Amino acid sequence: MQIFSLEGHPYIALNDLLKVEGLSESGGQAKLAIAAGQVMVDGKVELRKTCKLYVGQVVEFQGQSVTISE
């Protein structure tokens, strides 16, 4: 499990998180994976590419998970 720190920001967009954490090679690939229903947020499939992620939420993609922290 990875931990992503918002570092004072209120949130991060789902597609940006996948790109920043290296789970997808580009923002475009992240958007395609999200649209294909391959990404889960808090245990549910998330289809909104720019879904805002806040502290405590968990993102799962390709067998990896990322928890959002402060």
Side-chain angles (χ1 to χ4, degrees):
M1 174 182 284
Q2 296 171 283
I3 300 204
F4 176 81
S5 173
L6 290 174
E7 297 178 355
H9 294 88
Y11 64 86
I12 185 168
L14 179 56
N15 62 314
D16 291 337
L17 176 77
L18 296 180
K19 183 174 68 174
V20 169
E21 284 295 297
L23 299 177
S24 69
E25 291 183 19
S26 69
Q29 282 188 333
K31 289 178 181 180
L32 290 173
I34 295 165
Q38 298 174 358
V39 181
M40 296 177 65
V41 176
D42 295 335
K44 297 181 183 178
V45 173
E46 180 57 71
L47 298 174
R48 296 174 296 161
K49 298 171 188 87
T50 58
C51 166
K52 294 177 181 176
L53 301 171
Y54 299 93
V55 173
Q57 290 190 286
V58 177
V59 175
E60 297 175 59
F61 178 59
Q62 294 184 336
Q64 297 186 15
S65 65
V66 179
T67 300
I68 310 299
S69 72
E70 290 185 31

Coordinates of all heavy atoms in Angstrom, one line a residue:
M1 N 0.8 -1.2 0.0 CA 0.0 0.0 0.0 C 0.9 1.2 0.0 O 1.8 1.4 0.8 CB -0.9 0.0 1.2 CG -1.7 1.3 1.3 SD -2.8 1.4 2.8 CE -4.1 0.3 2.3
Q2 N 0.6 2.2 -0.9 CA 1.3 3.4 -1.0 C 0.5 4.5 -0.2 O -0.7 4.4 -0.1 CB 1.5 3.9 -2.4 CG 2.3 2.9 -3.2 CD 2.3 3.3 -4.7 OE1 1.3 3.0 -5.4 NE2 3.3 3.9 -5.2
I3 N 1.2 5.5 0.2 CA 0.5 6.7 0.9 C 0.9 7.9 0.1 O 2.1 8.1 -0.3 CB 1.0 6.8 2.3 CG1 0.6 5.5 3.1 CG2 0.4 8.1 2.9 CD1 0.4 5.6 4.5
F4 N -0.1 8.7 -0.3 CA 0.1 9.9 -1.0 C -0.3 11.1 -0.1 O -1.4 11.1 0.4 CB -0.8 10.0 -2.3 CG -0.7 11.3 -3.0 CD1 0.4 11.6 -3.8 CD2 -1.6 12.3 -2.8 CE1 0.5 12.8 -4.5 CE2 -1.5 13.5 -3.4 CZ -0.4 13.8 -4.3
S5 N 0.6 12.0 0.1 CA 0.4 13.2 0.9 C -0.1 14.4 0.1 O 0.5 14.7 -0.9 CB 1.7 13.6 1.7 OG 1.5 14.8 2.4
L6 N -1.2 15.0 0.5 CA -1.7 16.1 -0.1 C -0.9 17.4 0.1 O -1.0 18.4 -0.6 CB -3.2 16.4 0.3 CG -4.2 15.4 -0.1 CD1 -5.6 15.7 0.5 CD2 -4.4 15.4 -1.6
E7 N 0.0 17.3 1.1 CA 0.9 18.4 1.4 C 0.3 19.8 1.4 O 0.7 20.7 0.8 CB 2.1 18.4 0.3 CG 2.9 17.1 0.4 CD 4.0 17.1 -0.6 OE1 4.1 18.0 -1.5 OE2 4.8 16.1 -0.6
G8 N -0.8 19.9 2.2 CA -1.5 21.1 2.4 C -2.6 21.5 1.3 O -3.3 22.4 1.5
H9 N -2.6 20.7 0.3 CA -3.7 21.0 -0.7 C -5.0 20.3 -0.3 O -4.9 19.3 0.4 CB -3.3 20.4 -2.1 CG -2.1 21.1 -2.7 ND1 -0.8 20.7 -2.4 CD2 -2.0 22.1 -3.5 CE1 0.0 21.5 -3.1 NE2 -0.7 22.4 -3.8
P10 N -6.1 20.8 -0.6 CA -7.4 20.3 -0.2 C -7.7 18.9 -0.8 O -8.4 18.1 -0.2 CB -8.4 21.3 -0.5 CG -7.8 22.1 -1.6 CD -6.3 22.1 -1.4
Y11 N -7.3 18.7 -2.0 CA -7.6 17.4 -2.7 C -6.7 17.2 -3.9 O -5.9 18.1 -4.3 CB -9.1 17.5 -3.2 CG -9.3 18.5 -4.3 CD1 -9.1 18.3 -5.6 CD2 -9.8 19.8 -3.9 CE1 -9.3 19.3 -6.6 CE2 -10.0 20.8 -4.9 CZ -9.7 20.5 -6.2 OH -9.9 21.5 -7.1
I12 N -6.8 16.1 -4.6 CA -6.1 15.8 -5.8 C -7.1 15.1 -6.7 O -7.9 14.3 -6.3 CB -4.8 14.9 -5.6 CG1 -4.1 14.8 -7.0 CG2 -5.1 13.6 -5.0 CD1 -2.7 14.2 -6.9
A13 N -7.0 15.4 -8.0 CA -7.9 14.7 -9.0 C -7.4 13.3 -9.2 O -6.2 13.0 -9.2 CB -7.9 15.5 -10.3
L14 N -8.4 12.4 -9.4 CA -8.1 11.0 -9.6 C -7.1 10.7 -10.7 O -6.1 10.0 -10.5 CB -9.4 10.2 -9.8 CG -9.3 8.7 -10.0 CD1 -8.5 8.0 -8.9 CD2 -10.6 8.1 -10.2
N15 N -7.3 11.3 -11.9 CA -6.4 11.1 -13.0 C -5.0 11.6 -12.6 O -4.0 11.0 -13.0 CB -6.9 11.7 -14.3 CG -7.1 13.2 -14.2 OD1 -7.6 13.7 -13.3 ND2 -6.6 13.8 -15.3
D16 N -4.9 12.7 -11.9 CA -3.6 13.2 -11.5 C -2.9 12.3 -10.5 O -1.7 12.1 -10.6 CB -3.7 14.6 -10.9 CG -4.1 15.7 -12.0 OD1 -3.9 15.5 -13.2 OD2 -4.7 16.7 -11.5
L17 N -3.6 11.7 -9.6 CA -3.0 10.8 -8.7 C -2.4 9.6 -9.4 O -1.3 9.2 -9.0 CB -4.1 10.3 -7.6 CG -3.5 9.3 -6.7 CD1 -2.7 10.0 -5.6 CD2 -4.7 8.5 -6.0
L18 N -3.1 9.0 -10.3 CA -2.6 7.9 -11.0 C -1.3 8.2 -11.7 O -0.4 7.4 -11.7 CB -3.6 7.3 -12.0 CG -4.9 6.7 -11.4 CD1 -5.8 6.2 -12.5 CD2 -4.6 5.7 -10.4
K19 N -1.2 9.4 -12.3 CA 0.0 9.8 -13.0 C 1.1 10.1 -12.1 O 2.2 9.6 -12.2 CB -0.4 11.0 -13.9 CG 0.8 11.5 -14.7 CD 0.4 12.7 -15.6 CE 0.1 13.9 -14.8 NZ -0.2 15.1 -15.6
V20 N 0.8 10.9 -11.0 CA 1.9 11.3 -10.1 C 2.5 10.1 -9.3 O 3.7 10.0 -9.1 CB 1.3 12.3 -9.0 CG1 2.3 12.5 -7.9 CG2 1.0 13.6 -9.7
E21 N 1.6 9.1 -9.0 CA 2.1 7.9 -8.3 C 2.7 6.9 -9.2 O 3.2 5.8 -8.7 CB 1.0 7.3 -7.5 CG 0.6 8.1 -6.2 CD 1.7 8.1 -5.2 OE1 2.1 7.0 -4.7 OE2 2.3 9.2 -4.9
G22 N 2.8 7.1 -10.5 CA 3.4 6.2 -11.4 C 2.5 5.0 -11.7 O 3.1 4.0 -12.3
L23 N 1.3 5.0 -11.4 CA 0.4 3.9 -11.7 C -0.1 3.9 -13.2 O -0.5 2.9 -13.7 CB -0.8 3.9 -10.8 CG -0.5 3.8 -9.3 CD1 -1.8 3.9 -8.5 CD2 0.2 2.5 -9.0
S24 N 0.1 5.0 -13.9 CA -0.1 5.1 -15.3 C 1.0 5.9 -15.9 O 1.5 6.8 -15.2 CB -1.5 5.7 -15.6 OG -1.5 7.0 -15.3
E25 N 1.3 5.7 -17.2 CA 2.4 6.4 -17.8 C 2.1 7.8 -18.1 O 3.0 8.7 -18.2 CB 2.8 5.7 -19.1 CG 3.5 4.3 -18.8 CD 3.9 3.6 -20.1 OE1 4.1 4.3 -21.1 OE2 4.1 2.4 -20.0
S26 N 0.8 8.1 -18.3 CA 0.4 9.5 -18.6 C -1.0 9.8 -18.1 O -1.7 8.9 -17.7 CB 0.5 9.7 -20.2 OG -0.6 9.0 -20.8
G27 N -1.3 11.1 -18.2 CA -2.7 11.5 -17.8 C -3.7 10.9 -18.7 O -4.8 10.5 -18.3
G28 N -3.3 10.8 -20.0 CA -4.3 10.2 -21.0 C -4.6 8.8 -20.7 O -5.7 8.3 -20.8
Q29 N -3.5 8.0 -20.3 CA -3.7 6.6 -20.0 C -4.5 6.5 -18.7 O -5.4 5.6 -18.6 CB -2.4 5.9 -19.9 CG -1.7 5.5 -21.2 CD -0.5 4.7 -21.0 OE1 0.2 4.7 -20.0 NE2 -0.2 3.9 -22.0
A30 N -4.3 7.4 -17.8 CA -5.1 7.3 -16.6 C -6.6 7.6 -16.8 O -7.4 6.8 -16.3 CB -4.6 8.4 -15.6
K31 N -6.9 8.5 -17.7 CA -8.3 8.8 -18.1 C -8.9 7.6 -18.8 O -10.1 7.3 -18.5 CB -8.3 10.1 -18.9 CG -8.0 11.3 -18.2 CD -8.1 12.5 -19.1 CE -7.8 13.8 -18.3 NZ -7.8 15.0 -19.2
L32 N -8.2 7.0 -19.6 CA -8.7 5.8 -20.3 C -9.0 4.6 -19.3 O -10.1 4.0 -19.4 CB -7.7 5.3 -21.4 CG -7.6 6.2 -22.6 CD1 -6.5 5.7 -23.5 CD2 -8.9 6.3 -23.4
A33 N -8.1 4.4 -18.4 CA -8.3 3.4 -17.4 C -9.5 3.7 -16.5 O -10.3 2.8 -16.2 CB -7.1 3.2 -16.5
I34 N -9.7 4.9 -16.1 CA -10.8 5.3 -15.3 C -12.1 5.1 -16.1 O -13.1 4.5 -15.6 CB -10.7 6.8 -14.8 CG1 -9.5 6.9 -13.9 CG2 -12.0 7.3 -14.1 CD1 -9.0 8.4 -13.7
A35 N -12.2 5.6 -17.3 CA -13.3 5.5 -18.2 C -13.7 4.0 -18.4 O -14.9 3.7 -18.6 CB -13.1 6.2 -19.5
A36 N -12.7 3.1 -18.4 CA -13.0 1.7 -18.6 C -13.4 1.0 -17.4 O -13.6 -0.2 -17.4 CB -11.7 1.0 -19.2
G37 N -13.5 1.7 -16.3 CA -14.0 1.1 -15.0 C -12.9 0.3 -14.3 O -13.2 -0.6 -13.5
Q38 N -11.6 0.6 -14.5 CA -10.6 -0.2 -13.9 C -10.1 0.3 -12.6 O -9.2 -0.2 -12.0 CB -9.4 -0.3 -14.9 CG -9.7 -1.0 -16.2 CD -8.6 -0.9 -17.2 OE1 -7.5 -0.3 -16.9 NE2 -8.8 -1.5 -18.4
V39 N -10.6 1.5 -12.2 CA -10.1 2.1 -11.0 C -11.3 2.2 -9.9 O -12.4 2.5 -10.2 CB -9.7 3.6 -11.3 CG1 -9.2 4.3 -10.0 CG2 -8.6 3.6 -12.4
M40 N -10.9 1.8 -8.7 CA -11.9 1.9 -7.6 C -11.5 2.9 -6.6 O -10.3 3.1 -6.3 CB -12.0 0.5 -6.9 CG -12.5 -0.6 -7.9 SD -12.6 -2.2 -7.1 CE -13.8 -2.0 -5.9
V41 N -12.4 3.6 -6.0 CA -12.2 4.6 -4.9 C -13.1 4.1 -3.8 O -14.3 4.0 -3.9 CB -12.6 6.0 -5.3 CG1 -12.4 7.0 -4.2 CG2 -11.6 6.5 -6.5
D42 N -12.5 3.9 -2.6 CA -13.2 3.4 -1.4 C -14.1 2.2 -1.8 O -15.2 2.0 -1.3 CB -14.1 4.5 -0.9 CG -13.2 5.7 -0.3 OD1 -12.1 5.4 0.0 OD2 -13.8 6.8 -0.3
G43 N -13.5 1.2 -2.6 CA -14.2 0.0 -2.8 C -15.3 0.0 -3.9 O -15.9 -1.0 -4.2
K44 N -15.4 1.1 -4.6 CA -16.5 1.2 -5.6 C -15.8 1.8 -6.9 O -14.9 2.6 -6.9 CB -17.6 2.2 -5.2 CG -18.3 1.7 -4.0 CD -19.4 2.7 -3.7 CE -20.1 2.2 -2.4 NZ -21.2 3.2 -2.0
V45 N -16.3 1.2 -8.1 CA -15.7 1.7 -9.4 C -16.0 3.2 -9.5 O -17.2 3.6 -9.3 CB -16.4 0.9 -10.5 CG1 -16.0 1.5 -11.9 CG2 -16.0 -0.6 -10.4
E46 N -15.0 3.9 -9.9 CA -15.2 5.4 -10.1 C -14.9 5.7 -11.6 O -13.9 5.3 -12.1 CB -14.1 6.1 -9.3 CG -14.2 7.6 -9.4 CD -15.6 8.2 -9.1 OE1 -15.9 8.2 -7.9 OE2 -16.3 8.6 -10.0
L47 N -15.9 6.3 -12.2 CA -15.8 6.6 -13.6 C -15.6 8.1 -13.9 O -15.4 8.5 -15.1 CB -17.1 6.2 -14.4 CG -17.4 4.7 -14.3 CD1 -18.8 4.4 -14.9 CD2 -16.4 3.9 -15.0
R48 N -15.6 8.9 -12.9 CA -15.3 10.4 -13.1 C -13.8 10.6 -13.1 O -13.1 10.3 -12.1 CB -15.9 11.2 -11.9 CG -17.4 11.1 -11.9 CD -18.0 11.8 -10.7 NE -17.6 11.1 -9.5 CZ -17.6 11.6 -8.3 NH1 -18.0 12.8 -8.1 NH2 -17.2 10.9 -7.2
K49 N -13.3 11.0 -14.2 CA -11.8 11.1 -14.4 C -11.2 12.1 -13.4 O -10.1 11.9 -12.9 CB -11.5 11.5 -15.8 CG -12.0 10.5 -16.8 CD -11.9 11.1 -18.3 CE -12.5 10.1 -19.2 NZ -13.9 10.4 -19.4
T50 N -11.9 13.2 -13.1 CA -11.3 14.2 -12.3 C -12.0 14.2 -10.9 O -12.0 15.3 -10.2 CB -11.4 15.6 -12.9 OG1 -12.8 15.9 -13.2 CG2 -10.6 15.7 -14.2
C51 N -12.4 13.1 -10.5 CA -13.0 12.9 -9.1 C -12.0 13.5 -8.1 O -10.8 13.1 -8.1 CB -13.3 11.4 -8.9 SG -13.6 11.0 -7.2
K52 N -12.5 14.3 -7.2 CA -11.7 14.9 -6.2 C -11.5 13.9 -5.0 O -12.4 13.3 -4.5 CB -12.3 16.2 -5.6 CG -12.3 17.3 -6.6 CD -13.0 18.5 -6.1 CE -13.1 19.6 -7.2 NZ -13.8 20.7 -6.7
L53 N -10.2 13.6 -4.7 CA -9.8 12.7 -3.6 C -9.4 13.5 -2.4 O -8.6 14.4 -2.5 CB -8.7 11.8 -4.1 CG -9.0 10.9 -5.3 CD1 -7.8 10.2 -5.8 CD2 -10.1 9.9 -5.0
Y54 N -9.9 13.1 -1.2 CA -9.6 13.8 0.0 C -8.9 12.8 1.0 O -8.9 11.6 0.8 CB -10.9 14.3 0.6 CG -11.6 15.3 -0.3 CD1 -12.6 14.9 -1.2 CD2 -11.3 16.7 -0.3 CE1 -13.2 15.8 -2.0 CE2 -11.9 17.6 -1.1 CZ -12.9 17.2 -1.9 OH -13.5 18.1 -2.8
V55 N -8.4 13.4 2.1 CA -7.8 12.6 3.1 C -8.6 11.4 3.6 O -9.8 11.6 3.8 CB -7.5 13.5 4.3 CG1 -6.9 12.7 5.5 CG2 -6.5 14.6 4.0
G56 N -8.0 10.3 3.6 CA -8.7 9.1 4.1 C -9.2 8.2 3.0 O -9.5 7.0 3.3
Q57 N -9.3 8.7 1.8 CA -9.8 7.9 0.7 C -8.7 6.9 0.2 O -7.5 7.2 0.3 CB -10.4 8.7 -0.4 CG -11.6 9.5 0.0 CD -12.3 10.1 -1.2 OE1 -11.8 11.1 -1.7 NE2 -13.4 9.6 -1.6
V58 N -9.2 5.8 -0.3 CA -8.3 4.7 -0.8 C -8.6 4.5 -2.3 O -9.8 4.2 -2.7 CB -8.4 3.4 0.0 CG1 -7.5 2.3 -0.6 CG2 -8.1 3.7 1.4
V59 N -7.6 4.5 -3.1 CA -7.7 4.3 -4.6 C -7.0 2.9 -4.9 O -5.9 2.6 -4.4 CB -7.0 5.4 -5.4 CG1 -7.0 5.1 -6.9 CG2 -7.7 6.7 -5.1
E60 N -7.7 2.1 -5.7 CA -7.2 0.8 -6.1 C -7.1 0.7 -7.6 O -8.1 1.1 -8.3 CB -8.0 -0.3 -5.5 CG -8.1 -0.4 -4.0 CD -9.0 -1.4 -3.5 OE1 -8.9 -2.6 -3.8 OE2 -10.0 -1.1 -2.8
F61 N -6.0 0.3 -8.1 CA -5.8 0.1 -9.5 C -4.7 -0.9 -9.8 O -3.6 -0.8 -9.2 CB -5.4 1.5 -10.1 CG -5.1 1.5 -11.6 CD1 -6.1 1.1 -12.5 CD2 -3.9 1.9 -12.1 CE1 -5.8 1.1 -13.9 CE2 -3.6 1.9 -13.4 CZ -4.6 1.5 -14.3
Q62 N -5.0 -1.9 -10.6 CA -4.1 -2.9 -11.0 C -3.4 -3.6 -9.9 O -2.2 -3.8 -9.8 CB -3.1 -2.4 -12.0 CG -3.7 -1.9 -13.3 CD -2.6 -1.5 -14.3 OE1 -1.5 -1.1 -14.0 NE2 -3.0 -1.5 -15.6
G63 N -4.2 -3.9 -8.9 CA -3.6 -4.7 -7.7 C -2.8 -3.8 -6.7 O -2.3 -4.3 -5.8
Q64 N -2.8 -2.5 -6.9 CA -2.1 -1.6 -6.0 C -3.1 -0.7 -5.4 O -4.1 -0.3 -6.0 CB -1.0 -0.8 -6.8 CG 0.1 -1.7 -7.3 CD 1.2 -0.8 -7.9 OE1 1.3 0.3 -7.7 NE2 2.0 -1.5 -8.7
S65 N -2.8 -0.2 -4.2 CA -3.7 0.7 -3.5 C -2.9 1.9 -3.0 O -1.7 1.8 -2.6 CB -4.5 0.1 -2.4 OG -3.6 -0.4 -1.4
V66 N -3.6 3.1 -3.0 CA -3.0 4.3 -2.5 C -3.9 5.0 -1.6 O -5.1 5.1 -1.9 CB -2.7 5.3 -3.7 CG1 -2.1 6.6 -3.2 CG2 -1.8 4.7 -4.8
T67 N -3.4 5.3 -0.4 CA -4.2 6.0 0.6 C -3.9 7.4 0.6 O -2.7 7.8 0.6 CB -4.0 5.3 2.0 OG1 -4.4 4.0 2.0 CG2 -4.8 6.1 3.1
I68 N -4.9 8.3 0.7 CA -4.6 9.7 0.7 C -4.5 10.2 2.1 O -5.3 9.9 3.0 CB -5.8 10.5 0.0 CG1 -6.2 9.9 -1.3 CG2 -5.5 12.0 -0.1 CD1 -5.1 10.0 -2.4
S69 N -3.4 10.9 2.4 CA -3.1 11.5 3.7 C -2.9 13.0 3.6 O -2.8 13.5 2.5 CB -1.9 10.8 4.3 OG -0.7 11.2 3.7
E70 N -2.8 13.6 4.8 CA -2.6 15.1 4.8 C -1.3 15.5 4.3 O -0.4 14.9 4.3 CB -2.8 15.6 6.3 CG -4.2 15.5 6.8 CD -4.3 16.1 8.2 OE1 -3.6 17.0 8.5 OE2 -5.2 15.6 8.9

